[in-house]
Amino acid sequence: MSEKEDLAKQKAEAAAKAKAAALAKKQAKEETAEKPEGEMDIAKQKAEAAAKAKATALARKQAKAEAAEKPEGEIDIAKQKAAAAAKAKAAALARKQAKEETAEKPESEMNIAKQKAAAAAKAKAAALARKQAKAEAAEKPEGDMDAAKQKAAAAAKAKAAAAAKAKAAAAAKNRTAVQESEEVDTPSEISPNQSKLDQIVSAIESHVGQGALLENYINRLSKDVPTLVANPDTYFSIAKFLRYDEQLDFSYLSELHGTDFESHMEIYVHLHSFKINQSVALKVKLDRDTPVIPSLVPLWSGANWPECEAYDLLGINFYEHPDLKRILLGEDWKGYPLRKDYEPYDVEV
């Protein structure tokens, strides 16, 4: 078919379309003139729908005709353009709908939606980080992997050691507070033994001297026993006064033991007077490097074995003791087991 024939055919089709459109308009006007207002609106809507359908069909027909005439490369490009236009149109519609939904939603729903979006973004970022870490780990040689593991293990050990150190420090602080509360108790009520303690202290200061006692108090943790802390130089003199004073007469020694407080050694003596029906504690603090104190055996024979025990296990030397010796360990034993810094000579023992 020649170009002239194609042009004539296209003109004829256009004239037919124009004639059909004019006829349709004329019929629509006639029908509109005859119909009432309600039917007019329905007729308009139907006419518009029919016109749109007819235009869409004509557009598809023309598109097919153009596609038949175009080569394959141009058809692909046209399809891509049409797909891109459809996607853009869909995206614009989605954005419009999202805006409309956002405008309709209350503030609380908006916040929930934002939180969900943020959580999804975080999850996506975490997944990406894990993926990158795996990829980096796969790329690293074995030596680098081992070094990274060692660094992580060292950091974990350091953290655990710091936590253990802090815990130990807190425990030591608590022990110190408990020890101080045991040493000096400040009750709100006066002890029933306070008058007896005052009587004993007054008698000691009158007969031995004002500086004979370093301290005196009621030990609430030990049945309110009056406690006397003697100066090492006056320890034996105070003990002798308590033993032979006619008013006091502490004739019975019920206990004597030593203790290592790391900063010093201490001797604790518990005495009882049947005459006044009263107990008293006599304490003395000693130098830890050279713990030497007079023996109480000349005053109370019951001090014999307790002083030997303190010598055996703590290394406290009681001079003028009649027979100071080790009673639990052999004479060739190295060290004193009740000292806080004791280390066995034979590690297998």
Side-chain angles (χ1 to χ4, degrees), residues 29-57:
K29 285 181 180 180
E30 290 174 357
E31 291 174 358
T32 300
E34 294 173 1
K35 290 179 180 178
E37 190 175 352
E39 292 181 4
M40 286 281 288
D41 292 338
I42 295 169
K44 282 182 181 179
Q45 292 173 2
K46 286 183 179 179
E48 287 176 359
K52 284 181 182 179
K54 190 171 181 180
T56 303

Side-chain angles (χ1 to χ4, degrees), residues 170-185 219 221:
K173 188 175 182 181
N174 290 336
R175 283 198 301 271
T176 302
V178 170
Q179 184 177 342
E180 288 176 354
S181 67
E182 289 177 354
E183 288 292 328
V184 181
D185 187 31
N219 190 345
L221 301 178

Side-chain angles (χ1 to χ4, degrees), residues 2 5 26 39 45 49 73 194 210 243 283 334 343:
S2 63
E5 290 176 349
K26 185 178 180 182
E39 292 181 4
Q45 292 173 2
Q194 185 63 49
Q210 288 292 328
R243 172 67 180 87
K283 297 168 66 174
K334 305 292 184 183
E343 292 183 7

Side-chain angles (χ1 to χ4, degrees), residues 13-28:
E13 288 177 356
K17 287 179 184 178
K19 190 174 180 180
L23 181 61
K25 285 179 183 178
K26 185 178 180 182
Q27 289 176 352

Side-chain angles (χ1 to χ4, degrees), residues 40-247:
M40 286 281 288
D41 292 338
I42 295 169
K44 282 182 181 179
Q45 292 173 2
K46 286 183 179 179
E48 287 176 359
K52 284 181 182 179
K54 190 171 181 180
T56 303
L58 181 61
R60 282 200 293 270
K61 185 176 180 181
Q62 288 177 351
K64 285 182 181 179
E66 290 174 0
E69 292 174 2
K70 287 180 180 178
E72 188 174 354
E74 292 182 7
I75 292 172
D76 291 338
I77 294 169
K79 284 182 179 180
Q80 291 173 4
K81 287 182 179 179
K87 284 182 181 179
K89 189 174 181 180
L93 181 61
R95 283 195 297 272
K96 186 178 180 181
Q97 288 176 348
K99 285 182 180 179
E100 291 174 356
E101 290 174 0
T102 301
E104 293 172 3
K105 284 182 180 179
E107 189 176 353
S108 59
E109 291 184 12
M110 288 285 289
N111 291 335
I112 293 169
K114 285 182 180 179
Q115 291 172 2
K116 286 183 179 178
K122 284 183 181 178
K124 190 173 181 181
L128 181 61
R130 285 197 295 272
K131 186 176 179 182
Q132 289 177 348
K134 285 182 181 179
E136 291 175 359
E139 292 174 1
K140 285 183 179 179
E142 189 174 352
D144 290 349
M145 289 289 287
D146 291 340
K149 286 181 179 178
Q150 289 173 3
K151 286 182 180 179
K157 284 182 181 178
K159 190 175 181 180
K165 190 174 180 181
K167 189 175 180 181
K173 188 175 182 181
N174 290 336
R175 283 198 301 271
T176 302
V178 170
Q179 184 177 342
E180 288 176 354
S181 67
E182 289 177 354
E183 288 292 328
V184 181
D185 187 31
T186 55
S188 57
E189 296 181 1
I190 297 175
S191 168
N193 290 332
Q194 185 63 49
S195 60
K196 292 181 180 179
L197 174 61
D198 295 340
Q199 178 189 352
I200 294 168
V201 170
S202 177
I204 291 172
E205 290 178 346
S206 298
H207 292 81
V208 181
Q210 288 292 328
L213 290 174
L214 297 178
E215 189 180 357
N216 65 87
Y217 57 90
I218 296 292
N219 190 345
R220 291 280 186 172
L221 301 178
S222 182
K223 300 180 181 179
D224 279 20
V225 63
T227 303
L228 309 170
V229 182
N231 189 314
D233 296 334
T234 58
Y235 166 72
F236 185 81
S237 300
I238 293 171
K240 186 176 180 180
F241 173 75
L242 294 173
R243 172 67 180 87
Y244 294 115
D245 182 75
E246 293 181 358
Q247 300 298 321

